Amino acid sequence: MDEDDLNVYFFDALQRVLNLSDTTYLTGHKIWFYELPWAERRVTRPGYLFFGAPDERSTAQPPRDFYVYVLPPSCGASGTTSSAPTR
């Protein structure tokens, strides 16, 4: 299996595990609006979940309290998915 296929299957599985809808916040991007519960304060914190490296996302508006990036398995330590060879 090549790296692109691995990334697709990884993100599909993660989307199912997290019970995320097929409808994303921005069309064409793997971005979902997400609320984290803060049980002690009995509130939720609004934010976004991004599937991919930070350099792959479009700007999500309006700004929220948090942004969680889930990197693909083939992503390097730098957080980019460039196809440059590693040493």
Side-chain angles (χ1 to χ4, degrees):
M1 176 182 310
D2 70 2
E3 289 182 353
D4 288 337
D5 288 339
L6 176 64
N7 293 342
V8 168
Y9 291 125
F10 172 76
F11 286 138
D12 285 347
L14 192 59
Q15 182 178 347
R16 290 180 186 172
V17 168
L18 294 174
N19 292 320
L20 299 173
S21 71
D22 290 334
T23 306
T24 59
Y25 187 75
L26 293 173
T27 305
H29 297 279
K30 295 254 184 204
I31 300 173
W32 288 267
F33 174 78
Y34 196 77
E35 289 187 335
L36 287 174
W38 189 358
E40 295 148 356
R41 304 267 181 165
R42 296 183 181 167
V43 297
T44 58
R45 303 298 298 208
Y48 297 106
L49 293 178
F50 298 94
F51 286 3
D55 63 341
E56 295 176 347
R57 77 166 177 93
S58 125
T59 303
Q61 293 293 329
R64 300 290 182 190
D65 291 344
F66 70 90
Y67 302 83
V68 175
Y69 297 94
V70 180
L71 301 177
S74 65
C75 187
S78 66
T80 62
T81 56
S82 67
S83 58
T86 58
R87 295 182 193 203

